Structures are given as C-alpha cells and as structure tokens.
Amino acid sequence: MKLHEYQAKQVFADAGIPTPDSQLADDVAGVVAAAEEIGYPVAVKAQVQVGGRGKAGGIKLADGEDEAREAAESILGMDLKGYYVDQVLVEEAVDFVNELYVGITMDRGEGKPVAMVSTKGGVNIEEVAEEDPNAIAREHIDPSFGMLPYQARRAVYDAGVEQSVARDVSSILTTLYQLWDDKDGADAEINPLMVTSGDEVVAADAVMNIDEDALFRQPELAEMEAEAAGGDELERMADEYDFDYVRLDGNVGIIGNGAGLVMTTLDLVDYYGGQPANFLDVGGGAKAARISNALDMVFSDDNVDSVVFNIFGGITRGDEVARGINEALEQFDEIPKPVVVRLAGTNWEEGMEILNEDLVTVEQTLEDAVQRAVAYAGEVNDQ
Ligand code: GDP
Ligand code: MN
C-alpha cells in the first residue's frame, strides 16, 4: 500500500524530518488561497501515486496569483500517466543548491534492510543505480540492532555528502529507518532531499509504501489508505468488497476467479481486438453475494460497455455463481450493460441451467464469450 506524498510527508514531519510548509487543495480557488497563506513562490504538485510527476507536467512552480491559477488549472483534472488528478499539494517552494537521495528498502538478496544515500537526487534513482551504481552508498542494517549511528554517518560520508550538512542528513536517515521499522514499511524514500544555500536540509518529496499485511496493526496508516482510496470511487468499492482490482482504460469489464484466469481473459479480450476496462478477481469459493458485488463494481464504471464473466469452478461452484448473477441482474428493470457468461468446472451444467438467459448471454467456450463481449462493446462504440 502506497501513501500519497502529502500523507507520507505528514508521517515524516511527525517524526521530526523537516518538510516544507504545505496545504492540500482540490480546486483552483483553494490553490490560490493556500498559496497566499504559505507565501510565494510555491510548488503545485499533483497527488497521484506515481513517480516522475515533474517530467509528466504534474509539478509546477508559481510566483504569484496568476501563475498559481494557471498551475492549478493545468494540473487539476489532468490525466497523469493514467491517473486522474483530483488533489494537489501546494507547497512552499524550496530554493535549493543540491538534491540528495535517501531511502530504505528491503534487500531481498541479502535478507536485510538497506539504507541508501546518493548526491544524485532529484532524478529516478533506478536510472542512477543502472548508469552509475557507485553513486549510491549502501549500508545493510541488522534489524535486531537497528541502524547504528556510525552506519548512518558512514553511508552519508561514502556518498560524498558535504560536511556542512552531513550531520543533518545522517539524522534524517536514522529517523527514516526508524519509521520504516515502526510503520512496517516496504520502502521509505526522500527524493529529492533538498539542500539550501543556508545549509538547511528539507524533504521536498516523500514516498512511503507500507506492507499491506501489516495494516491491521497500523490503524493510522490504514485510515490514510482509506482516505487515499476515497478519491477514486471504484478503488474505494474494491477495498470495501475486498477484491483484487485494477482499473484499466478500455471498455470491456472483466470478472473472473483466480488471478491467472483473469489475466488470460484480459489477454484474450486484447487478442480479439477489444480493450479491457479492468482486472477483477473475485477469488476462490465466491458466493452469490460476492458475484453480485463484482457486477455492482463493473456496472459503476462509466467506461464499461460490456462485461465478460469467466468462472472456472473448483471450490467455487457454478450453480452458486449463476444464482449470484441472476440475483444481481434481477434488481434491474433494464440491464445496464450486456453481460456474457462462461462457466466451466464444478457444477457448470447446473449453473448454465440456472442462468436466466433473458438477462445474460451464455457461451460454451471462453473464446466465444470473449468475442461476444468484445462485439457488444464495439457496438456501443459505433453508436
Ligand atoms: P516526482 O517527479 O514525482 O518524484 O516529484 P518530486 O517531488 O520529486 O519533484 C520533482 C522535481 O521537481 C524535483 O527534483 C525538483 O527539481 C522540482 N521541485 C519539486 N518541488 C520543488 C520546489 O519546492 N522548489 C523547486 N525549485 N523545485 C522543486
Ligand atoms: Mn521524487
């Protein structure tokens, strides 16, 4: 689970890491009001969970009301690498002379967390790692001792960080490790960690990914996740229904049981000239209620023009699935989008008999089901 920049910054700031003064805004007037309060110049930053926002046009500096308005208008509502931007962070712009990188992650090869420091911050660290691996200093940490002070100092020294800020950078690195440990982090990263002409060190960006399986003991972070998902109605629904769900940009809704089967369905939709609208895995042993929740989700997606249901019965029983589909569809006077069903495996014959063919199209094979759904979606497009 990934926190938004503004949330990660909050977590970092609470632990004592210096961050710029900032406010969240979701409309142009809000951006201007925040900027006035913070004082110009400000940075206006798209709050979406992808890196490289700067290059993609999701970060703009503004030195006055007109520029703030312009920045807000261009960033709010934009499509940033497939993510809709509905919130920006308005932040005191940092006048920096250097951009550093500090990060903590798990080194699976070593079976230990590793702290990394580089003076080549501000750019994608994976690129630095590839082009100039020596530009990143690494220090492995024994989790039973935590990061020892000499380790933090050594990483900072090895990276070639200037003497004048070395102490502050070491202290930030130590705090970052403690946070990573306390909060069940998967990755914690500050890129760039900006150094000002006055030798101040400020976290200008913040990344914090949490181990999903530990969220039960991180209630504050779980709440942040709910808040983050709150921006996207479909993500919120997927959370509530407990589905593995990924939104894609096509118009054929896909529901299946088992990740492999859903992936195969996605590939087939693509193969037959369609475009998948989503990945939705209802899981094993899906009961009628789950099936009906899954349909509720894809029907709620405005991009979906047709739905293909691909169920292979193992623990999941075809008759149970068929009942779920009927129940979900019987609620409607008019079916919102055409649904094509293919059932195989346990009790598929019973399932086929139960399915109400006034409500759904039943196909015997997966190929036929996918082609039919692609055709339905195409008809909608042609209208
Ligand atoms: P990312 O591209 O999504 O990782 O977003 P970052 O927050 O790391 O910002 C990318 C780049 O934008 C930084 O490396 C800076 O060069 C620039 N930037 C971001 N915030 C500021 C700021 O407050 N002042 C200045 N001058 N540049 C900024
Ligand atoms: Mn960054």
Side-chain angles (χ1 to χ4, degrees):
M1 165 232 164
K2 231 174 155 164
L3 296 182
H4 277 297
E5 176 192 6
Y6 76 91
Q7 297 173 319
K9 274 187 170 150
Q10 189 59 55
V11 173
F12 290 4
D14 288 347
I17 294 175
T19 54
D21 192 10
S22 67
Q23 280 182 35
L24 202 59
D26 59 9
D27 59 19
V28 177
V31 170
V32 173
E36 304 278 316
E37 212 178 305
I38 291 164
Y40 293 105
V42 293
V44 180
K45 310 177 76 179
Q47 295 302 289
V48 288
Q49 284 145 325
V50 285
R53 292 166 302 165
K55 273 192 199 152
I59 298 178
K60 291 209 154 68
L61 293 175
D63 199 2
E65 189 180 330
D66 290 347
E67 284 180 19
R69 199 175 293 279
E70 241 169 73
E73 276 163 3
S74 77
I75 298 173
L76 280 166
M78 80 181 285
D79 179 330
L80 201 118
K81 299 183 174 179
Y83 288 81
Y84 176 80
V85 180
D86 61 354
Q87 285 180 313
V88 291
L89 190 65
V90 183
E91 186 171 83
E92 177 190 5
V94 182
D95 190 11
F96 63 93
V97 291
N98 275 320
E99 295 185 288
L100 309 177
Y101 169 95
V102 295
I104 313 287
T105 191
M106 183 59 83
D107 182 340
R108 285 171 207 285
E110 290 283 325
K112 278 181 186 166
V114 60
M116 292 171 290
V117 181
S118 176
T119 53
K120 297 206 163 172
V123 291
N124 187 343
I125 201 68
E126 279 81 21
E127 275 167 32
V128 177
E130 218 159 87
E131 285 162 18
D132 190 5
N134 292 327
I136 305 171
R138 293 180 177 78
E139 190 74 34
H140 286 96
I141 298 158
D142 182 334
S144 48
F145 295 111
M147 182 150 62
L148 302 170
Y150 83 89
Q151 292 187 293
R153 284 198 299 269
R154 186 161 68 190
V156 169
Y157 177 83
D158 285 351
V161 173
E162 296 151 84
Q163 198 70 49
S164 53
V165 292
R167 184 194 284 265
D168 284 350
V169 177
S170 303
S171 136
I172 289 170
L173 187 64
T174 308
T175 306
L176 198 62
Y177 176 76
Q178 271 159 8
L179 277 174
W180 181 89
D181 192 31
D182 292 348
K183 308 275 184 199
D184 292 302
D187 315 283
E189 195 180 88
I190 304 175
N191 185 26
L193 180 63
M194 286 180 173
V195 180
T196 69
S197 54
D199 282 341
E200 276 179 274
V201 184
V202 186
D205 192 12
V207 170
M208 182 87 183
N209 298 334
I210 313 293
D211 182 343
E212 296 261 355
D213 294 328
L215 272 184
F216 73 94
R217 60 181 187 191
Q218 300 289 352
E220 275 173 39
L221 299 174
E223 215 167 281
M224 284 186 176
E225 184 193 35
E227 195 182 311
D232 187 316
E233 177 64 12
L234 288 163
E235 300 273 345
R236 195 196 54 72
M237 285 174 94
D239 252 14
E240 182 189 322
Y241 292 147
D242 193 24
F243 287 138
D244 280 328
Y245 174 80
V246 181
R247 193 174 188 176
L248 302 165
D249 46 19
N251 66 340
V252 180
I254 294 167
I255 302 172
N257 63 330
L261 195 66
V262 180
M263 287 302 290
T264 306
T265 317
L266 246 87
D267 284 349
L268 274 176
V269 166
D270 180 73
Y271 179 78
Y272 287 118
Q275 286 179 321
N278 66 272
F279 171 104
L280 198 168
D281 177 7
V282 294
K287 296 270 182 229
R290 256 179 106 65
I291 297 295
S292 137
N293 288 345
L295 270 173
D296 185 27
M297 271 210 69
V298 287
F299 284 162
S300 304
D301 185 343
D302 290 337
N303 293 331
V304 169
D305 291 325
S306 71
V307 180
V308 57
F309 238 105
N310 182 20
I311 299 289
F312 188 89
I315 302 168
T316 309
R317 288 169 21 217
D319 54 323
E320 183 83 32
V321 170
R323 254 185 286 278
I325 294 174
N326 284 353
E327 262 168 45
L329 295 179
E330 276 156 9
Q331 302 165 24
F332 298 98
D333 292 332
E334 200 185 325
I335 307 301
K337 327 200 167 179
V339 179
V340 186
V341 183
R342 175 263 189 171
L343 291 177
T346 311
N347 293 3
W348 71 273
E349 281 153 312
E350 290 88 329
M352 298 283 240
E353 258 163 50
I354 291 167
L355 280 171
N356 180 345
E357 293 203 48
D358 293 335
L359 307 178
V360 295
T361 307
V362 178
E363 293 287 358
Q364 296 281 345
T365 69
L366 178 54
E367 286 84 352
D368 289 345
V370 167
Q371 288 181 74
R372 179 72 72 129
V374 169
Y376 282 150
E379 278 166 30
V380 175
N381 275 353
D382 292 343
Q383 275 168 19

